[in-house]
Amino acid sequence: MRTFFVNGKFFTGKGSFADTLVASDGIVEFIGSKDEAPASSDGAELVDLGGACCLPSFVDAHAHLLMLGQNLQKTSFIACRNSEDFRILLRKMKDEKPGAQRLLGCSWLFDALDSGTRPTKEFIDEIVPDIPVYLDSNDLHSTWLNTAALKELGIDESTPDPKGGSYERDSNGRLTGLLLETPVMEKVWPFLASVLTDAERVEALETVFHAYLATGVTGVVDMALGDDEIRALEDCYKKFNNRLPIRVAAHWLISPIGSEEDRLERVHTALRHRERLAAHAPWLRIVGIKIISDGVIDSCTAFMKEPYADMSRPGPIWTYDELLPIITLADQQDLQVAVHAIGDAASEMALDVFEKVLATNGERPLRRHRIEHLESVTKESIARMARLGITASLQPVHADPVVVPNWRAMLGNDERCDRAFPWTEFVEAKVPIALGTDAPTAPHHSLPNLYIATTRRSALQPDMPYPPKDERLKSLERFKLPLDLAIIGATAGGAHSCHNDKIAGSLQKGLWADFCVLSIDPFKDGVQTLAKAQESVKETWVQGVKVFSR
């Protein structure tokens, strides 16, 4: 099957465009000027794109598919700006779901509550005392529960804090209802997953696939895969006749719990899944492991070199000695290692381990490790990443001005805030970058994500007054990315990060004809057109076949 796509504006690289693309059996046969295009043949299909801007389809380099599907069905608290907003939304949840076994919410911000107000079980109990309530924070590293939910999980004052996290307690030692880090991943997530049926998981993933195709995404790196997620993805693979609507490259989550032998066995589990699913490529692959080495700045759990504003300085979730054998084994077996490291001390420690592992294991042609988030990172660490060939996996949506104030406050608005999310420093140092959303910790829409990347302005509140009065905030514009580099990071960068760059990520001869057709043109009309572009993808094509149209 041969298809001629004409009268388009195909982005092919830095400042480079083509008006014609010819696909043969889903593969790009030609891309360039219509004057140089091959002659049409009998039976070929002609698609006139009407001069529309066309981009390579996006590869979300960091997301959580099943959780995103579940979150799309939860009540979002992202718009809450004070304690009364929370109360109104909690009442609405209760009234709209009579007879519900539990109420689920997401995306609340720590600084949205009134000054001096902490997330406590009593706050929720006043409105919903009898039904378990689970509210995921925007970063997914904390969950706010009421008394009924604590009881449902079997958590009480005698429950010990696990490694790498805590059940927050007040000055009297009583549970507040806020769970931080490991209890969220080891207690809340497994329980909520266990109450879903297999059919509900598949339905959630189908919702996600459609949502991603509607924003021009045809590939995703799924971080933190576990038993429930892989079973649901395999069920979908069968349902869609041995393929998926989008390509999924997954990292198996390695829990820090237990002994070194326990943790090494989890790496072997990832290896077994990789081998078992090899025939599912390129639609479903296990490409590596995921290690969450620290928390987040918003709850003062990220591993920082210097204390927080409250003078606390939590340690890492994994120590150097715990990381070393796990990453050594993964590297020896050509598993990509993705290390969540938000704090500057966490990324420094991860690089210490990577440097030791590379020296121990020698050259490995398939090695392509990465560090996730890198929100506060030293210039020295960025230089080391370039030298070691470590990919910087970055999520522009985490720097949205709506969510940053609490981030800055936790650091005491000190000099560290003046290098927050320093994206251009990675580019200047020639560190490979891959852009993603970390959905559902942030919206999954690809074009508004690019808006934040190219402006440092808000896509959550695009009408937010600009410029900011604070000159220090305005100075962060120096870290915004040029549009062409942001697109490359969100397409070719994402594909490169998961070894998919031989088939996708850019529009060039020999690769899949994967692209999206836009109703806007940010090159001609400016990046401001991306701010409210949640529905600006008109069509999405995979292997030369239209899979979404609006």
Side-chain angles (χ1 to χ4, degrees):
M1 175 66 179
R2 211 167 179 220
T3 306
F4 284 71
F5 297 93
V6 300
N7 196 18
K9 184 179 178 180
F10 292 96
F11 175 74
T12 57
K14 297 178 182 179
S16 178
F17 299 90
D19 57 30
T20 301
L21 184 150
V22 181
S24 180
D25 295 326
I27 305 299
V28 177
E29 174 188 336
F30 169 85
I31 184 163
S33 167
K34 63 180 179 180
D35 299 328
E36 301 173 351
S40 183
S41 55
D42 291 341
E45 181 182 1
L46 180 68
V47 178
D48 189 331
L49 295 168
C53 180
C54 302
L55 303 179
S57 60
F58 295 97
V59 179
D60 192 330
H62 185 125
H64 306 273
L65 289 175
L66 185 55
M67 280 193 283
L68 174 56
Q70 294 170 288
N71 266 40
L72 290 172
Q73 300 166 350
K74 293 179 182 180
T75 300
S76 175
F77 284 72
I78 191 66
C80 291
R81 294 291 173 263
N82 54 56
S83 296
E84 186 56 27
D85 287 347
F86 279 85
R87 295 186 183 98
I88 291 170
L89 204 47
L90 284 166
R91 292 189 191 99
K92 184 179 179 183
M93 288 174 65
K94 183 179 180 181
D95 293 342
E96 289 181 347
K97 299 179 180 180
Q101 290 185 303
R102 57 191 60 84
L103 299 177
L104 307 179
C106 62
S107 303
W108 59 271
L109 302 172
F110 275 90
D111 60 350
L113 290 162
D114 293 347
S115 178
T117 302
R118 289 285 296 171
T120 65
K121 62 183 185 298
E122 289 81 9
F123 185 99
I124 304 176
D125 289 345
E126 289 179 7
I127 299 163
V128 190
D130 51 345
I131 305 170
V133 177
Y134 298 82
L135 304 180
D136 295 325
S137 65
N138 190 59
D139 54 36
L140 289 183
H141 283 253
S142 306
T143 305
W144 181 5
L145 282 62
N146 66 349
T147 299
L150 289 170
K151 183 177 180 180
E152 183 172 55
L153 291 178
I155 300 168
D156 58 30
E157 267 70 19
S158 66
T159 304
D161 288 342
K163 173 181 168 53
S166 65
Y167 302 100
E168 187 182 75
R169 291 170 166 83
D170 61 22
S171 58
N172 296 315
R174 297 179 63 250
L175 293 168
T176 66
L178 186 64
L179 277 57
L180 301 169
E181 303 300 337
T182 306
V184 175
M185 302 162 205
E186 300 287 341
K187 199 81 170 178
V188 177
W189 293 357
F191 172 76
L192 292 180
S194 72
V195 298
L196 287 176
T197 66
D198 288 342
E200 286 171 330
R201 293 188 187 95
V202 169
E203 181 183 0
L205 285 175
E206 288 184 282
T207 299
V208 170
F209 296 147
H210 177 78
Y212 264 129
L213 291 174
T215 194
V217 174
T218 61
V220 170
V221 181
D222 193 341
M223 285 292 173
L225 208 70
D227 291 331
D228 293 314
E229 290 84 0
I230 198 168
R231 185 168 64 250
L233 284 166
E234 289 187 74
D235 287 345
C236 284
Y237 180 84
K238 295 172 185 174
K239 183 172 182 177
F240 287 99
N241 297 316
N242 296 332
R243 62 177 289 161
L244 292 173
I246 63 176
R247 294 179 302 276
V248 177
H251 284 250
W252 192 257
L253 179 63
I254 306 298
S255 166
I257 301 298
S259 66
E260 180 177 310
E261 289 71 23
D262 295 329
R263 295 188 285 270
L264 288 169
E265 177 55 30
R266 291 172 192 132
V267 178
H268 286 292
T269 297
L271 287 166
R272 288 191 290 270
H273 283 307
R274 182 180 69 177
E275 182 178 352
R276 187 174 60 79
L277 296 177
H280 292 47
W283 299 107
L284 177 58
R285 299 181 297 138
I286 301 296
V287 298
I289 61 171
K290 166 75 175 297
I291 295 171
I292 301 176
S293 75
D294 73 341
V296 293
I297 289 172
D298 289 274
S299 59
C300 299
T301 53
F303 184 32
M304 302 294 295
K305 293 168 70 70
E306 300 296 332
Y308 288 91
D310 64 2
M311 298 310 297
S312 65
R313 187 174 175 267
I317 294 173
W318 292 71
T319 66
Y320 174 95
D321 290 336
E322 290 169 338
L323 285 173
L324 186 58
I326 302 304
I327 295 180
T328 299
L329 173 61
D331 182 73
Q332 289 169 346
Q333 299 297 322
D334 291 325
L335 281 170
Q336 291 178 255
V337 178
V339 178
H340 164 117
I342 284 180
D344 52 8
S347 53
E348 188 174 276
M349 180 178 67
L351 289 167
D352 289 343
V353 176
F354 279 133
E355 192 150 20
K356 175 66 174 177
V357 168
L358 268 59
T360 300
N361 290 345
E363 290 295 322
R364 303 210 54 91
L366 296 179
R367 178 182 288 140
R368 206 167 286 183
H369 301 316
R370 45 195 286 164
I371 297 179
E372 310 301 307
H373 310 308
L374 296 156
E375 296 179 6
S376 179
V377 56
T378 66
K379 291 183 178 182
E380 292 77 16
S381 287
I382 292 175
R384 291 177 73 193
M385 289 182 69
R387 179 165 54 83
L388 297 174
I390 307 296
T391 295
S393 174
L394 311 172
Q395 299 74 41
V397 279
H398 287 172
D400 191 296
V402 168
V403 300
V404 164
N406 185 68
W407 190 99
R408 296 174 65 85
M410 296 303 100
L411 295 179
N413 280 298
D414 63 18
E415 64 278 1
R416 293 173 291 186
C417 298
D418 296 328
R419 287 188 58 260
F421 306 89
W423 305 323
T424 53
E425 291 186 6
F426 294 102
V427 175
E428 291 162 0
K430 295 182 169 45
V431 175
I433 67 168
L435 302 188
T437 64
D438 201 8
T441 73
H444 66 282
H445 305 101
S446 55
L447 298 177
N449 193 30
L450 289 182
Y451 176 70
I452 301 169
T454 56
T455 65
R456 298 294 289 235
R457 302 185 194 180
S458 177
L460 291 173
Q461 290 183 24
D463 297 322
M464 177 182 286
Y466 188 86
K469 296 179 181 178
D470 187 336
E471 285 299 318
R472 292 175 65 200
L473 288 175
K474 192 173 187 305
S475 72
L476 294 175
E477 274 196 7
R478 70 190 189 278
F479 296 130
K480 67 185 182 183
L481 296 171
L483 178 60
D484 54 358
L485 291 185
I487 292 172
I488 291 169
T491 55
H496 177 270
S497 76
C498 62
H499 282 290
N500 253 347
D501 46 325
K502 298 299 184 183
I503 63 170
S506 57
L507 294 173
Q508 55 180 293
K509 185 176 180 179
L511 301 191
W512 286 17
D514 289 8
F515 61 92
C516 54
V517 182
L518 309 186
S519 61
I520 59 174
D521 186 346
F523 296 101
K524 184 181 76 171
D525 300 320
V527 293
Q528 67 273 9
T529 58
L530 300 167
K532 301 179 181 180
Q534 286 85 349
E535 297 185 358
S536 294
V537 171
K538 292 197 301 183
E539 299 173 356
T540 302
W541 294 73
V542 175
Q543 288 187 289
V545 176
K546 188 192 297 183
V547 293
F548 170 81
S549 63
R550 180 175 274 114

